[in-house]
Amino acid sequence: MSDKTDKIQKMLELQKKFMQFEHEHGVDSETYYAASAEHPLHNYRQQYQELANAVCNLAHGEKGSKRD
């Protein structure tokens, strides 16, 4: 599996976990933006954003459209 595919798979797993938690418990803005370290959604946004940025960079690299 390519690095890009692996990162996309991790993003999908994060989304599934988030949606499952949201359906079972609901998610308010405080939880979404500032979940405590013990909370299942702690660092969700940061992890997802890092993966999304990495996928975007890999895609740009594949197409040769990334500027240095």
Side-chain angles (χ1 to χ4, degrees):
M1 190 179 311
S2 74
D3 191 35
K4 185 173 77 172
T5 303
D6 184 47
K7 289 182 183 334
I8 291 170
Q9 185 61 39
K10 289 178 184 176
M11 289 172 67
L12 291 171
E13 290 171 12
L14 281 172
Q15 285 179 333
K16 284 180 185 179
K17 289 178 184 178
F18 177 84
M19 289 187 318
Q20 181 180 1
F21 185 88
E22 181 184 29
H23 287 258
E24 292 175 4
H25 307 284
V27 175
D28 59 15
S29 59
E30 183 178 347
T31 300
Y32 183 74
Y33 289 102
S36 66
E38 300 82 30
H39 198 280
L41 296 180
H42 180 69
N43 285 334
Y44 164 80
R45 288 180 54 247
Q46 293 85 355
Q47 290 174 342
Y48 193 88
Q49 187 64 51
E50 288 171 7
L51 288 167
N53 288 339
V55 168
C56 184
N57 289 336
L58 288 168
H60 278 296
E62 289 173 1
K63 293 295 180 184
S65 60
K66 184 175 179 179
R67 289 196 257 174
D68 293 324

